[in-house]
Amino acid sequence: MEVIDSRMERLLEALDRGVLLFALGGIIYNGLQISPAGVLLTLAATLLYALLRNRIANLDHFDTDAPLLAPPGINARRFLLICQWLGSRHLFDGLLGDLVDPEFGVTRDTARRYLRHTLWPAIGQRAWHTALARLWLDRNT
Amino acid sequence: MTPPARKPDLFPYLLIALVAAALFFLLLLDRRTPIFATPAGMAPFFFIVFAIALTLGLFASRNPAPSISRRNGFWLKWHRSGPIGGALTGLIFLLVYWAYDWPAPNRVEISERRVNEMCHIVPPVPDSLIIWTTPDPLGLIPGYMLVGMALGLVVGLLFPYWHGWMDRQVRRRPVLRGLNHPYPSGLLFGLIFGALIGAWLCPLIFSVSDGRPFIRVSTSAISVFLAVAFYLLFEVASYRRQMTRAAYLTLATVLSVGVLLAGLVWFLDAQLGISATAYCYFYDTWNTQTNELKPGWQPAIAGAMYGAMTGAIIMSVASGYMIIRNTIAHAAGEKDADGRKEGKD
């Protein structure tokens, strides 16, 4: 079953924009009203929405029945879980592909170090670019 | 030979999550203070939570719609479970009502005892016309269970007919095709029948006038969510051996939408004081001399709105059972088809 079709994806992108604009407005307004609880709740709701949207968008892209092939020293299940919730299939395949390179993946330590140094910045960058794209500010789109 | 891998049993965790959600509500309600500085500050939060509920709802409704012709024993026995579920709902309703709305030193009740300060009535209602005592909550148990049972019977008897009627309408008018899915069909049923029952029952309950506090809108929303969610879990628990990953996902989605809807009602009530306004609205149409509601449409309209909200929450969770059941049946059907195919090969 295709969970999200293209028409639905466009609709959800419009919803993302609305959520982002409301989140920015809410944080600024509650900040001006000096209501830290309000700022935190708005932020928490926005993060929850982002997490949920990313997970649902990733449902079709991850075939969990396929055997997970990862170099030694890498906890493939944990890596998959992080990418499913916070990243994407593209990121998952890209980083695993990088580990084939002897410079990064030849030993357990180098593989782990490479992932530690690249995974979280890559997730952050992806989230930042997605937010910019939703706000029509991304120059690459 | 290695033993077959055991499927993880997630039900205990779901139950714990539900209890944790209930405790979260307990903590929130106990505070009784608005969280946002102004109601306008809540608007963005409200929109985002609504967007979460909408996303989850869209996701839930994109699961395969049930085929009425399938008779594989998974159908909810509405005639049996309607009244039982209703009685359970009535009992949990009373429990939450007692926990939050009943007079206590740390709780502000909404009742006739505070009507003068709460509704700014001029001239004030004299003490002699106010009922100062509260009834024994234990004495209310039979009444709540009976009303719950009657409402459950209405759902149990009428919802299958409603869903069948919806299905026929959709076949005749393809433009309505989204409505034959259990989720929108259940929501619409909850809204319409909730409004009808609320228009009749709410003024009736209000006119009982035995000194009990007014049931807050948030108390109703939380009570019905908890009651129907627990009931849903216990019904689904009987099929736990057949539960698939997709079915668990659907169950979690349905419960999440219920939590969000109940949470939204709670937030709106806490921020905007809807319950106190509703009480004063009812009291405006109250004849303090005769302890009866004055004739007119206003109490019925307020009751219809109250009933529609409660009905929507009940049916949004209850219709989840049909979607879960269908997800299991769908998976079982696929498994059967695969088995037959393998047999042929």
Side-chain angles (χ1 to χ4, degrees), chain A residues 55 58-65 79-80 83-85 87-90 92-93:
Chain A
R55 185 69 186 87
N58 277 340
L59 274 177
D60 285 339
H61 304 146
F62 283 91
D63 182 10
T64 47
D65 293 335
F79 180 49
L80 177 79
C83 287
Q84 276 177 331
W85 282 94
S88 64
R89 179 79 206 203
H90 186 65
F92 180 75
D93 289 340

mmCIF file of all heavy atoms in Angstrom, chain A residues 55 58-65 79-80 83-85 87-90 92-93:
data_model
loop_
_atom_site.group_PDB
_atom_site.id
_atom_site.type_symbol
_atom_site.label_atom_id
_atom_site.label_comp_id
_atom_site.label_asym_id
_atom_site.label_seq_id
_atom_site.Cartn_x
_atom_site.Cartn_y
_atom_site.Cartn_z
ATOM 1 N N ARG A 55 8.435 10.459 10.024
ATOM 2 C CA ARG A 55 8.273 9.008 10.174
ATOM 3 C C ARG A 55 7.252 8.476 9.179
ATOM 4 O O ARG A 55 7.466 7.431 8.559
ATOM 5 C CB ARG A 55 7.843 8.696 11.619
ATOM 6 C CG ARG A 55 7.755 7.209 11.921
ATOM 7 C CD ARG A 55 9.127 6.588 11.930
ATOM 8 N NE ARG A 55 9.081 5.142 12.065
ATOM 9 C CZ ARG A 55 8.968 4.313 11.030
ATOM 10 N NH1 ARG A 55 8.888 4.775 9.799
ATOM 11 N NH2 ARG A 55 8.945 3.013 11.218
ATOM 12 N N ASN A 58 8.578 8.451 5.713
ATOM 13 C CA ASN A 58 9.593 7.420 5.512
ATOM 14 C C ASN A 58 9.027 5.997 5.471
ATOM 15 O O ASN A 58 9.777 5.054 5.212
ATOM 16 C CB ASN A 58 10.627 7.478 6.646
ATOM 17 C CG ASN A 58 11.668 8.537 6.371
ATOM 18 O OD1 ASN A 58 11.844 8.958 5.243
ATOM 19 N ND2 ASN A 58 12.334 8.993 7.415
ATOM 20 N N LEU A 59 7.733 5.850 5.753
ATOM 21 C CA LEU A 59 7.169 4.497 5.870
ATOM 22 C C LEU A 59 7.404 3.661 4.614
ATOM 23 O O LEU A 59 7.742 2.486 4.690
ATOM 24 C CB LEU A 59 5.667 4.572 6.150
ATOM 25 C CG LEU A 59 5.261 4.712 7.608
ATOM 26 C CD1 LEU A 59 3.759 4.851 7.720
ATOM 27 C CD2 LEU A 59 5.722 3.520 8.423
ATOM 28 N N ASP A 60 7.194 4.294 3.444
ATOM 29 C CA ASP A 60 7.333 3.542 2.192
ATOM 30 C C ASP A 60 8.784 3.309 1.801
ATOM 31 O O ASP A 60 9.067 2.432 0.997
ATOM 32 C CB ASP A 60 6.655 4.313 1.051
ATOM 33 C CG ASP A 60 5.164 4.194 1.150
ATOM 34 O OD1 ASP A 60 4.715 3.239 1.798
ATOM 35 O OD2 ASP A 60 4.462 5.054 0.608
ATOM 36 N N HIS A 61 9.661 4.125 2.341
ATOM 37 C CA HIS A 61 11.048 4.100 1.851
ATOM 38 C C HIS A 61 11.933 3.064 2.538
ATOM 39 O O HIS A 61 13.012 2.776 2.067
ATOM 40 C CB HIS A 61 11.685 5.487 1.984
ATOM 41 C CG HIS A 61 10.905 6.547 1.285
ATOM 42 N ND1 HIS A 61 10.797 7.833 1.740
ATOM 43 C CD2 HIS A 61 10.139 6.493 0.164
ATOM 44 C CE1 HIS A 61 10.029 8.526 0.938
ATOM 45 N NE2 HIS A 61 9.610 7.736 -0.023
ATOM 46 N N PHE A 62 11.492 2.569 3.672
ATOM 47 C CA PHE A 62 12.323 1.606 4.385
ATOM 48 C C PHE A 62 11.680 0.231 4.342
ATOM 49 O O PHE A 62 10.576 0.063 4.847
ATOM 50 C CB PHE A 62 12.496 2.033 5.857
ATOM 51 C CG PHE A 62 13.477 3.145 6.043
ATOM 52 C CD1 PHE A 62 13.062 4.468 6.017
ATOM 53 C CD2 PHE A 62 14.821 2.883 6.236
ATOM 54 C CE1 PHE A 62 13.955 5.503 6.179
ATOM 55 C CE2 PHE A 62 15.719 3.915 6.404
ATOM 56 C CZ PHE A 62 15.287 5.234 6.371
ATOM 57 N N ASP A 63 12.365 -0.689 3.743
ATOM 58 C CA ASP A 63 11.877 -2.059 3.714
ATOM 59 C C ASP A 63 12.536 -2.797 4.876
ATOM 60 O O ASP A 63 13.678 -3.236 4.785
ATOM 61 C CB ASP A 63 12.250 -2.701 2.366
ATOM 62 C CG ASP A 63 11.716 -4.110 2.271
ATOM 63 O OD1 ASP A 63 10.923 -4.491 3.154
ATOM 64 O OD2 ASP A 63 12.093 -4.828 1.323
ATOM 65 N N THR A 64 11.798 -2.897 5.981
ATOM 66 C CA THR A 64 12.409 -3.449 7.188
ATOM 67 C C THR A 64 12.599 -4.965 7.126
ATOM 68 O O THR A 64 13.328 -5.520 7.932
ATOM 69 C CB THR A 64 11.549 -3.112 8.422
ATOM 70 O OG1 THR A 64 10.204 -3.421 8.103
ATOM 71 C CG2 THR A 64 11.680 -1.665 8.812
ATOM 72 N N ASP A 65 11.906 -5.632 6.174
ATOM 73 C CA ASP A 65 12.061 -7.088 6.083
ATOM 74 C C ASP A 65 13.403 -7.478 5.443
ATOM 75 O O ASP A 65 13.876 -8.598 5.614
ATOM 76 C CB ASP A 65 10.917 -7.696 5.258
ATOM 77 C CG ASP A 65 9.596 -7.539 5.996
ATOM 78 O OD1 ASP A 65 9.653 -7.436 7.235
ATOM 79 O OD2 ASP A 65 8.540 -7.495 5.351
ATOM 80 N N PHE A 79 20.965 2.415 13.929
ATOM 81 C CA PHE A 79 21.214 3.357 12.842
ATOM 82 C C PHE A 79 19.959 3.503 11.976
ATOM 83 O O PHE A 79 19.561 4.615 11.601
ATOM 84 C CB PHE A 79 22.411 2.843 12.032
ATOM 85 C CG PHE A 79 22.799 3.706 10.875
ATOM 86 C CD1 PHE A 79 22.954 5.078 11.039
ATOM 87 C CD2 PHE A 79 23.028 3.162 9.623
ATOM 88 C CE1 PHE A 79 23.312 5.887 9.975
ATOM 89 C CE2 PHE A 79 23.385 3.956 8.560
ATOM 90 C CZ PHE A 79 23.523 5.317 8.731
ATOM 91 N N LEU A 80 19.317 2.353 11.704
ATOM 92 C CA LEU A 80 18.083 2.361 10.909
ATOM 93 C C LEU A 80 16.981 3.141 11.627
ATOM 94 O O LEU A 80 16.283 3.962 11.030
ATOM 95 C CB LEU A 80 17.634 0.920 10.665
ATOM 96 C CG LEU A 80 16.313 0.758 9.913
ATOM 97 C CD1 LEU A 80 16.519 0.964 8.430
ATOM 98 C CD2 LEU A 80 15.715 -0.618 10.138
ATOM 99 N N CYS A 83 17.554 6.834 11.448
ATOM 100 C CA CYS A 83 17.275 7.358 10.105
ATOM 101 C C CYS A 83 15.773 7.349 9.803
ATOM 102 O O CYS A 83 15.262 8.244 9.137
ATOM 103 C CB CYS A 83 18.025 6.558 9.051
ATOM 104 S SG CYS A 83 19.774 6.926 9.066
ATOM 105 N N GLN A 84 15.063 6.327 10.301
ATOM 106 C CA GLN A 84 13.615 6.268 10.065
ATOM 107 C C GLN A 84 12.900 7.433 10.730
ATOM 108 O O GLN A 84 11.990 8.018 10.166
ATOM 109 C CB GLN A 84 13.049 4.961 10.627
ATOM 110 C CG GLN A 84 13.178 3.797 9.678
ATOM 111 C CD GLN A 84 12.672 2.520 10.307
ATOM 112 O OE1 GLN A 84 12.728 2.339 11.524
ATOM 113 N NE2 GLN A 84 12.187 1.618 9.491
ATOM 114 N N TRP A 85 13.304 7.762 11.958
ATOM 115 C CA TRP A 85 12.599 8.806 12.703
ATOM 116 C C TRP A 85 13.117 10.209 12.400
ATOM 117 O O TRP A 85 12.341 11.154 12.326
ATOM 118 C CB TRP A 85 12.697 8.541 14.211
ATOM 119 C CG TRP A 85 11.746 7.478 14.650
ATOM 120 C CD1 TRP A 85 12.006 6.149 14.773
ATOM 121 C CD2 TRP A 85 10.362 7.629 14.996
ATOM 122 N NE1 TRP A 85 10.883 5.466 15.168
ATOM 123 C CE2 TRP A 85 9.861 6.359 15.317
ATOM 124 C CE3 TRP A 85 9.502 8.727 15.060
ATOM 125 C CZ2 TRP A 85 8.544 6.148 15.696
ATOM 126 C CZ3 TRP A 85 8.186 8.514 15.451
ATOM 127 C CH2 TRP A 85 7.719 7.242 15.753
ATOM 128 N N GLY A 87 15.905 10.929 9.994
ATOM 129 C CA GLY A 87 16.557 11.156 8.713
ATOM 130 C C GLY A 87 15.716 10.682 7.548
ATOM 131 O O GLY A 87 14.508 10.917 7.520
ATOM 132 N N SER A 88 16.375 10.009 6.616
ATOM 133 C CA SER A 88 15.672 9.524 5.423
ATOM 134 C C SER A 88 16.398 8.298 4.876
ATOM 135 O O SER A 88 17.507 7.977 5.316
ATOM 136 C CB SER A 88 15.648 10.613 4.350
ATOM 137 O OG SER A 88 16.972 10.886 3.945
ATOM 138 N N ARG A 89 15.783 7.664 3.903
ATOM 139 C CA ARG A 89 16.403 6.508 3.271
ATOM 140 C C ARG A 89 17.687 6.924 2.533
ATOM 141 O O ARG A 89 18.686 6.227 2.520
ATOM 142 C CB ARG A 89 15.401 5.904 2.274
ATOM 143 C CG ARG A 89 15.923 4.705 1.512
ATOM 144 C CD ARG A 89 15.857 3.491 2.371
ATOM 145 N NE ARG A 89 16.839 2.491 1.999
ATOM 146 C CZ ARG A 89 16.725 1.208 2.281
ATOM 147 N NH1 ARG A 89 15.673 0.780 2.953
ATOM 148 N NH2 ARG A 89 17.645 0.358 1.938
ATOM 149 N N HIS A 90 17.593 8.112 1.935
ATOM 150 C CA HIS A 90 18.728 8.653 1.190
ATOM 151 C C HIS A 90 19.945 8.789 2.110
ATOM 152 O O HIS A 90 21.063 8.392 1.751
ATOM 153 C CB HIS A 90 18.302 10.021 0.646
ATOM 154 C CG HIS A 90 19.300 10.651 -0.247
ATOM 155 N ND1 HIS A 90 19.642 10.121 -1.457
ATOM 156 C CD2 HIS A 90 20.055 11.763 -0.098
ATOM 157 C CE1 HIS A 90 20.552 10.885 -2.013
ATOM 158 N NE2 HIS A 90 20.823 11.898 -1.210
ATOM 159 N N PHE A 92 20.404 7.234 4.991
ATOM 160 C CA PHE A 92 20.767 5.888 5.453
ATOM 161 C C PHE A 92 21.692 5.209 4.429
ATOM 162 O O PHE A 92 22.786 4.742 4.763
ATOM 163 C CB PHE A 92 19.480 5.082 5.649
ATOM 164 C CG PHE A 92 19.676 3.671 6.116
ATOM 165 C CD1 PHE A 92 20.013 3.407 7.435
ATOM 166 C CD2 PHE A 92 19.508 2.605 5.247
ATOM 167 C CE1 PHE A 92 20.178 2.097 7.874
ATOM 168 C CE2 PHE A 92 19.681 1.306 5.678
ATOM 169 C CZ PHE A 92 20.016 1.052 6.998
ATOM 170 N N ASP A 93 21.234 5.218 3.157
ATOM 171 C CA ASP A 93 22.034 4.565 2.113
ATOM 172 C C ASP A 93 23.343 5.301 1.884
ATOM 173 O O ASP A 93 24.384 4.678 1.672
ATOM 174 C CB ASP A 93 21.229 4.513 0.799
ATOM 175 C CG ASP A 93 20.093 3.518 0.893
ATOM 176 O OD1 ASP A 93 20.162 2.632 1.771
ATOM 177 O OD2 ASP A 93 19.126 3.630 0.114
#
